Amino acid sequence: MWIYLNDRFVTEQDAVVSVFDHGFLYGDGVYETIRSYGSRIFMRDQHLARLRRSGEAIGLTIPIPERQWPALLHEAMTKNEVGQDHNDAYLRITISRGPGGIGLDPALCPTPTVVIMTKPLQPSPPEQYKTGVSLIVAKTRRNLPSALSPQIKATNFLNNILAKREAIAAGAFDSILLNWESQLTECTVSNIFFVRAGRLCTPALTCGLLDGITRDLLLGLARDAQIPVDEGHFGVESLRQADECFLTNTTMEVMPVTRVDGHPVGKGTPGPITRQLHGQFMANRARFLEP
Ligand code: PDD
């Protein structure tokens, strides 16, 4: 695997970062997970814009100018022979504060570390889309936005990792995290939606969650299909009363959820609106790819 590190492509063995890097010492950095369909990157500019916003939120200037990113991402795919005809790419950009003396002051780190990794995208097993996945409600709460905004896609992922550990221990696919007021927020790497009486519901950004790029796209598709949408504040009981539930993120697209805390959601099978929206997503995908 060829990895872009700071200013050049290096082999996996040479892709090493200092133990003084504040990304390692303090989780001080930001990242994005992006994908391609074939050679065309999905929602490229939206991901790059979110990377810039995450950087701005922590006072970290992304050291690569916006106009250079497309060529760099494509070079990473070409060098690794991914992102070709039927070979979708997974891309991860990580920008950390960089190496510097021990201490919290970002000024200790004059040069951010830039890493681009890419590998073949491993799609979720088709079986999961057919049967749906199970979730639990985690005891771990989502970060309080005024303490650490979930809108910052930070390399400090402990909040999510603790909830993921709970899911693994319970034998579930993933955990739903509640906020400080016991309202639904999101799962560890995805946004959550549910359907109730024909209305598509999803926690509002003010509940404290990442503004997922797939979430936003799905909301647009639902509006196009004239499905009524509620972005609101919901408790766990709304999932118990839901007819359908699904998750969205860049790599999974739309994943049906059929059990929550051991209880079936609706009929316990992927629902019609979930299928319809995933179908619409696939039918419209080309609109959201690079030319
Ligand atoms: N995760 N919520 C969280 C906490 C996430 O980490 C992600 C993305 C999402 C969905 O965002 P998007 O639709 O933009 O992918 C929601 C990626 C896949 C990751 O961390 O690798």
Side-chain angles (χ1 to χ4, degrees):
M1 193 197 275
W2 287 96
I3 292 160
Y4 185 82
L5 178 61
N6 296 327
D7 55 359
R8 68 186 67 126
F9 283 93
V10 296
T11 61
E12 223 168 300
Q13 293 89 313
D14 290 334
V16 288
V17 173
S18 164
V19 292
F20 289 97
D21 196 298
H22 282 208
F24 175 69
L25 288 175
Y26 303 115
D28 186 357
V30 295
Y31 83 98
E32 275 298 317
T33 299
I34 313 181
R35 70 167 294 165
S36 77
Y37 289 91
S39 61
R40 295 161 74 193
I41 297 174
F42 176 67
M43 300 294 267
R44 182 196 69 201
D45 294 346
Q46 289 80 353
H47 280 283
L48 293 172
R50 190 169 65 188
L51 181 70
R52 194 189 53 239
R53 285 199 304 277
S54 293
E56 277 167 4
I58 67 164
L60 174 63
T61 305
I62 307 300
I64 294 180
E66 210 105 313
R67 63 178 189 288
Q68 283 178 19
W69 277 107
L72 212 47
L73 294 174
H74 280 279
E75 196 179 344
M77 294 198 289
T78 309
K79 272 187 107 58
N80 287 292
E81 296 176 8
V82 296
Q84 294 155 335
D85 282 350
H86 295 291
N87 177 358
D88 301 341
Y90 171 101
L91 291 142
R92 172 164 165 142
I93 303 174
T94 309
I95 319 278
S96 78
R97 191 74 68 179
I102 294 176
L104 300 190
D105 185 356
L108 292 164
C109 312
T111 317
T113 300
V114 177
V115 176
I116 306 171
M117 294 164 168
T118 178
K119 60 176 187 174
L121 184 113
Q122 211 58 55
S124 304
E127 197 54 29
Q128 282 181 348
Y129 293 96
K130 281 199 206 114
T131 59
V133 297
S134 66
L135 302 178
I136 59 158
V137 178
K139 291 196 179 64
T140 305
R141 296 292 169 113
R142 191 73 177 103
N143 284 326
L144 187 66
S146 56
L148 176 59
S149 170
Q151 302 267 349
I152 304 171
K153 202 150 170 50
T155 53
N156 185 325
F157 231 51
L158 267 182
N159 183 211
N160 316 52
I161 290 166
L162 295 179
K164 182 72 183 179
R165 289 188 75 235
E166 290 188 49
I168 293 165
F173 176 78
D174 203 0
S175 281
I176 308 165
L177 291 98
L178 305 180
N179 69 8
W180 67 102
E181 285 179 333
S182 301
Q183 296 158 342
L184 305 174
T185 64
E186 59 185 335
C187 289
T188 64
V189 287
S190 60
N191 293 111
I192 189 160
F193 288 79
F194 60 94
V195 177
R196 175 120 202 261
R199 301 184 74 82
L200 182 68
C201 306
T202 195
L205 297 181
T206 48
C207 296
L209 49 120
L210 184 74
D211 53 343
I213 288 164
T214 324
R215 171 187 182 279
D216 198 45
L217 205 155
L218 251 281
L219 287 172
L221 292 175
R223 289 186 180 112
D224 292 348
Q226 304 194 332
I227 298 170
V229 169
D230 291 332
E231 283 185 79
H233 295 240
F234 306 104
V236 181
E237 71 291 347
S238 12
L239 285 182
R240 306 242 190 279
Q241 296 153 1
D243 305 313
E244 306 179 32
C245 179
F246 62 87
L247 308 177
T248 61
N249 80 12
T250 296
T251 54
M252 291 190 300
E253 302 176 344
V254 176
M255 176 61 74
V257 174
T258 45
R259 291 188 92 74
V260 174
D261 275 343
H263 303 285
V265 179
K267 296 195 173 86
T269 53
I273 294 186
T274 305
R275 282 187 210 277
Q276 179 192 339
L277 286 171
H278 198 181
Q280 260 178 266
F281 177 89
M282 290 193 278
N284 284 278
R285 203 162 63 192
R287 279 171 42 204
F288 308 108
L289 303 182
E290 293 171 315

